[in-house]
Amino acid sequence: KKAIIDPSLFKYKVQPIKKDLYEAVIVKASQLSRRKHLFSRDRLKLFLKQHCEPQDGVIKTKATSVAKYNLAEQNFSYFFPDDPPTFMFSPASRRRGRPPKRPSTSLEDEIAAKRNTQGNRSKVAREKTKFQKQKD
């Protein structure tokens, strides 16, 4: 297995957006940074929605994005210098989403529930006898 390369040793070729005004420059990793609020959870969600889609329980890159950015021609080592990760296989979960919330079964809740049902029974019984008296 190869030794992990120190990220501070990398050099990056920065290509300008307006190529007619500026030329490409090679910079050290320490010279690169981004503004604090450029990357957010919302932007990540938007990126994933635009470029990825679920297929058989796996999130995959859309064919349009693969074609647009020539991703089929690239391999893992083009983007990452180290060996590809090895993932352990885990069977897919049969459940979807969050499990339903379980009702609280504290002692106080049980006592309150018993009181309500006993009170309701006696009230129903009183209504029945009252109705029977009116009927007779």
Side-chain angles (χ1 to χ4, degrees):
K1 194 171 185 177
K2 291 193 304 186
I4 297 175
I5 300 170
D6 184 19
S8 63
L9 299 175
F10 285 105
K11 292 185 179 180
Y12 298 91
K13 183 177 182 181
V14 179
Q15 295 180 342
I17 296 172
K18 298 179 180 176
K19 294 182 181 185
D20 54 329
L21 297 177
Y22 306 99
E23 59 184 51
V25 179
I26 296 176
V27 296
K28 297 177 186 174
S30 61
Q31 293 175 299
L32 292 176
S33 66
R34 62 175 164 83
R35 281 182 258 141
K36 189 174 183 178
H37 299 291
L38 279 180
F39 183 77
S40 67
R41 185 180 185 138
D42 292 332
R43 286 183 185 241
L44 177 60
K45 281 184 176 182
L46 180 63
F47 173 80
L48 291 173
K49 190 182 282 186
Q50 289 175 341
H51 297 284
C52 300
E53 61 188 354
Q55 292 178 356
D56 301 323
V58 178
I59 298 173
K60 294 188 176 182
T61 311
K62 289 182 179 178
T64 54
S65 298
V66 171
K68 182 176 180 181
Y69 298 107
N70 299 324
L71 298 178
E73 299 169 9
Q74 312 303 332
N75 58 15
F76 185 84
S77 61
Y78 180 80
F79 299 103
F80 303 100
D82 299 324
D83 291 331
T86 53
F87 297 107
M88 298 296 291
F89 175 76
S90 60
S93 175
R94 293 180 185 241
R95 292 190 314 191
R96 299 255 182 218
R98 291 185 178 174
K101 287 188 178 179
R102 299 170 80 187
S104 172
T105 56
S106 68
L107 185 60
E108 293 173 0
D109 292 340
E110 289 179 21
I111 293 170
K114 284 182 183 177
R115 285 184 187 158
N116 288 341
T117 54
Q118 289 171 352
N120 287 346
R121 284 186 196 144
S122 61
K123 188 175 181 181
V124 170
R126 279 186 263 137
E127 291 291 327
K128 275 188 178 178
T129 55
K130 186 177 176 183
F131 185 70
Q132 288 289 339
K133 287 179 184 178
Q134 287 178 353
K135 197 174 183 183
D136 294 335

